[in-house]
Amino acid sequence: MKVVLALIAASMTSTPAPAEVAETPRCKLCKQAEQREVEVPLRVEVDSGLIFSRLALTGRSDGSASIDPTTGRKLTDAGMVDLGGIAVSGRVIVTGEPRRYVRIDMPPQVMLRSPHGAEAELSDFRTDLEPMPRLDDNGMLEFSFGGRLSTKGSQGGNFRGRIPIRVEYN
């Protein structure tokens, strides 16, 4: 896409006078680029966020827990114990132009904060996407994601935050 835009910009700088433009046939590359400009915009809807449910630190050191994107299963390390409750993997619905390939980027990490100032980090995001995700015939793609929650400073809390998910046509 960047190459196409660069070629269009280069051709606009060397266009002949307006009288000559009317007689010059449009190049196929320019026509394809114009068609791409009217593509259906992508829409990203988060159907559900990550929910780790109830966890507790086992001592005075930090701990972590992770959620598998495919099964929704919650796993804890030695520094944390699962107190029950239902863990939920995140679920995203992407809509756009049917049968188009898309690129989906998850952040490397996200800081979460509790109302009392404690912090935790979400990292190691994983999805159940195929290597080359593509919108279906109806222009829709659904996927689940999981990640790892790690405490910071051995503090607990009801952590909240936003996970920026970037989606663009490939």
Side-chain angles (χ1 to χ4, degrees), residues 48-144:
S48 67
L50 284 175
I51 300 174
F52 284 84
S53 196
R54 299 180 341 197
L55 300 164
L57 293 170
T58 59
R60 296 185 186 269
S61 61
D62 288 321
S64 67
S66 61
I67 295 179
D68 180 83
T70 306
T71 64
R73 184 173 164 209
K74 177 174 45 173
L75 300 170
T76 59
D77 70 5
M80 193 169 283
V81 62
D82 183 358
L83 296 177
I86 298 173
V88 177
S89 58
R91 186 167 169 262
V92 175
I93 301 168
V94 178
T95 55
E97 193 172 317
R99 297 176 298 283
R100 288 283 306 271
Y101 288 98
V102 292
R103 177 181 168 167
I104 299 173
D105 292 321
M106 302 292 288
Q109 73 267 349
V110 172
M111 290 304 294
L112 305 177
R113 290 179 177 67
S114 77
H116 302 292
E119 291 184 335
E121 181 182 86
L122 272 178
S123 61
D124 299 330
F125 291 101
R126 290 184 208 92
T127 69
D128 63 356
L129 288 166
E130 296 177 8
M132 296 281 296
R134 185 179 191 178
L135 302 177
D136 65 15
D137 290 342
N138 297 316
M140 188 175 348
L141 172 68
E142 296 181 38
F143 70 93
S144 295

